[in-house]
Amino acid sequence: MGCAQSTEEDGTELPDFKEFSVLLLDNMEQVIGRGIVSIDQTKMVFVMRGESREHIWELQHLRRYGADGRFFSFEAGRNCTDGEGIWAFSLRKADLLHQMVDNFLQRAKPQNDNNDNSNNTQTSTTTTSTSNSNEKTK
């Protein structure tokens, strides 16, 4: 099963799990920590060197994300395990991390779209029924 988003630029398939060595950056792009970001089909996890605490962000709750050269940043929504905020990392393969996030979200998207459409259809049917009932009683 192949699609345009499931391969790297050189044509090799994207892995389902990967770890990246990263530098954590503040809003002035200054290094404030080093650690490992791991990504799988549902989440990204960051562990800072020397700490055991995991920072977890479910991919479905990311608001925005992007890569620029050696930088990868994202905005986590309030439903993420670690809450909302903007995070930035410097890493050698920022584009690969970006591709993986994008690919995993694209894979999950059709499932979410179908659920949204069925809810919208139900809502409009209910609204229409209510309108028709009200018109009959007038």
Side-chain angles (χ1 to χ4, degrees):
M1 186 193 321
C3 64
Q5 289 89 6
S6 65
T7 58
E8 291 187 53
E9 290 178 10
D10 65 1
T12 58
E13 282 197 36
L14 291 173
D16 287 334
F17 174 84
K18 183 134 178 83
E19 290 186 341
F20 298 89
S21 180
V22 300
L23 301 174
L24 176 62
L25 306 175
D26 67 10
N27 61 348
M28 301 298 288
E29 295 183 5
Q30 299 299 309
V31 176
I32 56 174
R34 298 174 187 277
I36 300 291
V37 167
S38 59
I39 181 170
D40 65 24
Q41 295 181 20
T42 60
K43 66 188 174 305
M44 277 192 303
V45 178
F46 171 65
V47 178
M48 193 172 310
R49 186 183 296 168
E51 294 183 10
S52 59
R53 180 176 186 267
E54 293 183 331
H55 299 273
I56 301 170
W57 306 284
E58 295 79 5
L59 298 180
Q60 67 183 4
H61 299 307
L62 298 186
R63 293 181 184 152
R64 296 181 281 191
Y65 57 92
D68 183 17
R70 292 178 62 119
F71 300 102
F72 176 80
S73 62
F74 64 94
E75 181 180 359
R78 69 175 175 259
N79 291 326
C80 283
T81 301
D82 270 50
E84 62 188 353
I86 296 174
W87 292 78
F89 299 104
S90 175
L91 65 153
R92 288 189 181 140
K93 295 193 173 190
D95 289 334
L96 176 58
L97 179 54
H98 179 265
Q99 277 186 297
M100 290 180 73
V101 170
D102 199 46
N103 182 47
F104 293 148
L105 287 171
Q106 291 300 320
R107 285 187 200 173
K109 191 175 182 179
Q111 178 182 346
N112 293 336
D113 284 349
N114 289 339
N115 291 340
D116 289 345
N117 289 340
S118 65
N119 289 340
N120 290 343
T121 305
Q122 260 184 330
T123 304
S124 29
T125 305
T126 305
T127 305
T128 305
S129 300
T130 305
S131 299
N132 290 340
S133 300
N134 289 339
E135 290 177 331
K136 290 179 183 176
T137 57
K138 287 184 181 176

